[in-house]
């Protein structure tokens, strides 16, 4: 594959320091403070896609960095904690306030400019509230709503960008998420298989700290020392010293806890910190060359073992075939889709002829050069046949509207699951979907599938397994039919988290910890790891005022 290959990330700095030096901001002013009865009109800001609801003493919508700093200082003066909220698409409750000031970044939504990146791509500068959909669509079309106000350098870059095809790869399914939120959660998705999560695309961040100072931090500028030590310069001179946690980061996708590795770039501490270390107000992110041609393919397999064997072969061909995503539909998932087709007919988004019970499907996104597409599809057919599949029974889609049809098919599953749960909730309002978000290292894939199947079948629960098999990151959705099954499902869910961690994986691979999955952090890193995370937080937020209740449960008020 040519153009979809992710370029190496290279920035060379002379001697990165281990000391972060935030600056004080002139002109910090609090924005309009919405409180008391006026808050009643803003109920939607107290909740997110987790459907949990919180409470706040006040709400602000800053429109510039001075107002963010002003709000933070005013909250400090009033003794209020601060919860950061962006597009509120999070499903772990991180943006749901547990009292204090709720600071929404949705009005900081401008794309500020463009420059050349350290490699063949570009860097785009945006405010935290810019929606992922807006950024990605602007890059794809070369049309930026705010470009009239850009500098000459940015506009010249835009002309060059328009001559090629570029892409901002992070894809957390929900494109209504905001850039600040995706960075705060290190969002990832199906295409993470080829492109990685959000982290490697973040080049620099502008962060307002809990004391109202501003940290402008670029990749390669500051690193922890060999022994993990780093420091934050204090306003009156002196330093507050900290140490990178000593826990071992899972060898899988992981969105739980502060990132930690030897001599790590200190920029990476903020990516995935879920609003507990600072408020990300702006970012510069990397664009990479986009593939010239895209194709979606669905392949069918007689059973789970064959689907896994195909996945393993695809992994070795990832770069050559330009495999962007490998997504799995287990036997129960196809059963549910078959039922959907029977009930809803053609409008179900599910084609008529799905293979019979026991079969599985693997969905692929491919991205390559136009001139190579036919050869890539030929190699894919050979691969399907080599693993024992039937290339005649694959669906493929190249034109945009055909690919859209396969995308609808792919998304029909979560939609059907939500419909099933909504039906059960009419009779049992306390029952919710139990959706896991766990990843294991490569060698654990067969083991974890067997674990899920045996435990759930033994318990007699209704469930589907689907998702990012390329990254060994499968979602189990347990569909309880009554409160007793709900309780049994919850117990299994917690047990899966322990098993997955024992396999070297993550119980929170992409949706974050937020306020709802804090017990998983203890399972993942143990009480010692949690204590090390608290020590990191104390460097940036010694009064523990940011993101109260997120990551660290007992702080909730
Ligand atoms: C249908 C659906 C599918 C989804 N699929 C995926 C998926 O595949 N992969 C995935 O990763 N996620 C997925 N998500 C979850 C969600 O979209 C992501 O977590 C997203 O990154 C959240 O962005 P947001 O702007 O909505 O953040 P919010 O929900 O507003 O906030 C999320 C967290 O980040 C913090 N935060 C937000 N903005 C900032 C900031 N500027 N500075 C500091 N902290 C901040 C908040 O305090 C909170 O803790 C899905 C959600 C939905 C509804």
């Amino acid at each position: 594959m040519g153009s979809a290959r992710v370029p190496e990330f290279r920035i060379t700095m002379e001697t990165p320091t281990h000391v972060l030096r935030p600056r004080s901001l002139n002109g910090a002013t609090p924005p309009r403070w919405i409180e008391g009865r006026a808050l009643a009109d803003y109920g939607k800001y107290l909740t997110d896609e987790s459907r949990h609801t919180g409470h706040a003493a006040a709400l602000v919508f800053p429109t510039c960095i001075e107002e963010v700093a002003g709000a933070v200082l005013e909250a400090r003066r009033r003794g209020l904690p601060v919860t950061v909220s962006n597009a509120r698409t999070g499903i772990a409750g991180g943006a749901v306030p547990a009292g204090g000031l709720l600071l929404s970044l949705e009005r900081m939504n401008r794309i500020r400019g463009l420059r050349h990146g350290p490699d063949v791509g570009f860097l785009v500068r945006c405010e935290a509230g810019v929606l992922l959909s807006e950024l990605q669509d602007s890059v794809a079309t070369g049309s930026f709503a705010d470009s009239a106000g850009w500098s000459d350098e940015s506009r010249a870059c835009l002309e060059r960008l328009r001559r090629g095809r570029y892409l901002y790869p992070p894809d957390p399914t929900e494109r209504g998420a905001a850039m600040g939120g995706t960075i705060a959660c290190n969002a990832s998705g199906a295409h993470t298989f080829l492109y990685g999560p959000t982290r490697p695309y973040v080049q620099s961040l502008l962060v307002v700290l809990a004391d109202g100072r501003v940290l402008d931090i670029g990749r390669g500028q500051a690193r922890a020392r060999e022994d993990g030590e780093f420091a934050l310069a204090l306003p009156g001179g002196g330093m507050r010293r900290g140490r990178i946690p000593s826990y071992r980061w899972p060898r899988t996708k992981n969105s739980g806890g502060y990132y930690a590795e030897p001599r790590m770039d200190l920029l990476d501490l903020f990516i995935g910190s879920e609003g507990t270390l600072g408020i990300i107000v702006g970012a510069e992110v990397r664009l990479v060359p986009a593939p010239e041609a895209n194709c979606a393919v669905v392949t069918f397999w007689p059973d789970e073992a064959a689907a896994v064997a195909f996945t393993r072969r695809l992994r070795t061909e990832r770069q050559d075939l330009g495999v962007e995503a490998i997504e799995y539909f287990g036997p129960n998932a196809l059963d549910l889709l078959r039922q959907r087709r029977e009930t809803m007919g053609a409008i179900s988004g599910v084609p008529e002829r799905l293979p019979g019970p026991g079969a599985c499907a693997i969905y692929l996104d491919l991205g390559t050069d136009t001139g190579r597409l036919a050869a890539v599809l030929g190699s894919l057919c050979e691969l399907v046949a080599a693993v024992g599949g039937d290339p005649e029974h694959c669906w493929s889609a190249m034109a945009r509207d055909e690919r859209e049809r396969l995308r609808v098919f792919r998304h029909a599953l979560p939609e059907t699951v939500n419909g099933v749960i909504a039906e059960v909730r009419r009779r049992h309002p306390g029952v919710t979907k139990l959706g896991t978000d766990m990843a294991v290292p490569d060698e654990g894939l067969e083991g974890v599938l067997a674990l899920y199947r045996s435990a759930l079948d033994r318990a007699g629960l209704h469930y589907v397994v689907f998702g990012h098999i390329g990254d060994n990151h499968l979602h189990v959705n347990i569909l309880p039919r009554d409160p007793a099954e709900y309780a049994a499902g919850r117990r299994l869910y917690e047990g899966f988290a322990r098993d997955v961690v024992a396999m070297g994986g993550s119980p929170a691979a992409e949706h974050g910890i937020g306020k709802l999955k804090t017990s998983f952090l203890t399972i993942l890193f143990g009480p010692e790891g949690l204590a090390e995370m608290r020590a990191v937080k104390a460097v940036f937020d010694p009064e523990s005022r940011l993101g109260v209740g997120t990551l660290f449960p007992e702080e909730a008020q």
Side-chain angles (χ1 to χ4, degrees):
M1 192 202 50
S3 51
R5 199 181 297 272
V6 182
E8 282 294 297
F9 189 79
R10 291 184 310 273
I11 267 219
T12 39
M13 296 291 299
E14 305 258 304
T15 11
T17 170
H18 75 293
V19 182
L20 296 171
R21 296 185 186 279
R23 59 188 159 92
S24 298
L25 203 61
N26 288 329
T29 344
R32 187 168 76 89
W33 209 260
I34 303 164
E35 55 192 329
R37 283 214 198 115
L39 267 181
D41 295 335
Y42 295 88
K44 69 176 189 183
Y45 292 92
L46 299 178
T47 184
D48 68 2
E49 284 294 329
S50 70
R51 312 286 172 192
H52 283 250
T53 302
H55 60 106
L59 168 65
V60 288
F61 293 99
T63 55
C64 60
I65 189 167
E66 287 78 10
E67 290 189 352
V68 174
V72 167
L73 290 173
E74 180 61 15
R76 190 183 195 189
R77 197 182 64 74
R78 298 188 191 200
L80 295 176
V82 179
T83 300
V84 191
S85 158
N86 225 315
R88 293 175 291 102
T89 68
I91 42 192
V96 176
L101 176 66
L102 180 58
L103 188 149
S104 168
L105 287 159
E106 72 175 23
R107 295 188 191 163
M108 289 192 68
N109 55 7
R110 280 157 297 185
I111 299 181
R112 297 294 212 156
L114 206 58
R115 68 182 172 107
H116 285 286
D119 43 40
V120 291
F122 291 89
L123 296 171
V124 60
R125 207 161 57 252
C126 63
E127 293 179 345
V130 168
L131 298 187
L132 183 62
S133 56
E134 187 192 338
L135 186 109
Q136 289 180 327
D137 293 347
S138 302
V139 170
T141 58
S143 170
F144 291 80
D146 303 309
S147 61
W150 287 4
S151 67
D152 290 347
E153 187 203 346
S154 284
R155 284 211 299 275
C157 266
L158 178 55
E159 286 312 310
R160 272 171 242 130
L161 177 113
R162 285 174 176 156
R163 278 181 230 136
R165 287 170 60 94
Y166 292 89
L167 160 79
Y168 178 65
D171 70 326
T173 314
E174 175 52 74
R175 294 199 332 129
M179 292 300 290
T182 58
I183 294 169
C185 297
N186 187 29
S188 61
H191 288 197
T192 298
F193 175 69
L194 182 65
Y195 297 106
T198 298
R199 182 181 307 285
Y201 297 95
V202 180
Q203 170 71 16
S204 67
L205 290 178
L206 198 56
V207 183
V208 172
L209 298 179
D211 61 9
R213 289 183 302 157
V214 175
L215 189 61
D216 200 344
I217 178 171
R219 192 166 285 286
Q221 285 174 349
R223 288 190 172 281
R225 291 219 282 229
E226 199 65 47
D227 62 0
E229 190 181 296
F230 67 94
L232 181 74
L234 296 174
M239 313 266 178
R240 202 178 292 130
R241 291 177 198 285
R243 200 170 287 278
I244 298 300
S246 61
Y247 45 67
R248 198 156 160 234
W249 195 251
R251 288 180 288 122
T252 60
K253 278 165 84 173
N254 177 39
S255 63
Y258 297 149
Y259 187 69
E261 67 168 330
R263 294 209 69 245
M264 67 178 264
D265 196 312
L266 296 177
L267 175 73
D268 284 325
L269 264 185
F270 295 93
I271 303 168
S273 64
E274 298 189 50
T276 61
L277 296 182
I279 302 165
I280 298 165
V281 291
E284 205 170 34
V285 296
R286 245 172 15 113
L287 310 180
V288 299
E292 290 170 358
N294 292 96
C295 182
V297 180
V298 182
T299 61
F300 292 101
W301 301 92
D303 53 34
E304 186 182 281
V308 169
F310 180 56
T311 302
R312 291 205 173 282
R313 287 294 298 274
L314 280 171
R315 285 199 190 130
T316 61
E317 312 287 334
R318 173 186 341 218
Q319 294 289 350
D320 281 343
L321 297 181
V323 184
E324 295 177 316
I326 313 178
E327 298 285 299
Y328 176 68
F329 294 78
N332 299 354
L334 285 195
D335 286 347
L336 207 58
L337 289 175
R338 220 177 286 109
Q339 285 163 23
R340 179 183 168 100
R341 169 75 203 197
E342 280 161 21
T343 327
M344 296 171 66
I347 57 155
S348 62
V350 180
E352 202 176 351
R353 285 165 53 84
L354 279 179
C360 308
I362 297 277
Y363 169 102
L364 304 175
D365 274 333
L366 305 174
T368 187
D369 298 338
T370 310
R372 292 201 62 225
L373 186 57
V376 160
L377 289 174
S379 303
L380 185 68
C381 287
E382 281 171 24
L383 201 67
V384 168
V387 185
D390 182 357
E392 297 296 320
H393 283 132
C394 297
W395 304 335
S396 65
M398 273 165 268
R400 187 181 287 270
D401 56 337
E402 288 174 351
R403 279 190 279 128
E404 180 56 22
R405 268 210 296 279
L406 283 198
R407 199 192 63 82
V408 169
F409 164 71
R410 192 175 131 208
H411 289 281
L413 183 65
E415 213 180 291
T416 314
V417 164
N418 291 341
V420 170
I421 290 294
E423 187 58 39
V424 175
R425 277 172 64 82
R426 270 197 269 280
R427 276 169 285 121
H428 306 290
V431 169
T432 60
K433 175 177 81 180
L434 293 166
T436 72
D437 176 33
M438 306 186 191
V440 294
D442 278 357
E443 66 276 12
L445 178 56
E446 287 85 350
V448 85
L449 274 165
L451 170 82
Y452 292 152
R453 193 176 353 92
S454 64
L456 290 157
D457 286 346
R458 206 176 325 117
L461 294 174
H462 187 198
Y463 66 95
V464 293
V465 179
F466 66 100
H468 318 311
I469 195 168
D471 285 314
N472 308 301
H473 174 202
L474 292 161
H475 297 299
V476 178
N477 278 186
I478 305 174
L479 311 173
R481 286 162 285 208
D482 57 42
E485 287 198 351
Y486 181 63
R490 281 184 69 105
R491 282 193 296 278
L492 280 185
Y493 192 153
E494 187 99 0
F496 290 155
R498 289 180 198 286
D499 293 330
V500 157
V501 171
M503 295 165 93
S506 165
E510 69 182 10
H511 296 156
I513 293 291
K515 295 185 175 66
L516 303 180
K517 296 189 178 176
T518 52
S519 63
F520 285 179
L521 257 195
T522 317
I523 294 175
L524 182 57
F525 294 133
E528 313 77 28
L530 225 62
E532 290 181 319
M533 278 180 54
R534 275 182 209 286
V536 170
K537 180 166 167 69
V539 172
F540 297 100
D541 181 18
E543 295 159 357
S544 213
R545 291 192 312 114
L546 289 182
V548 167
T550 296
L551 303 184
F552 310 106
E554 64 273 37
E555 282 166 5
Q557 318 185 333

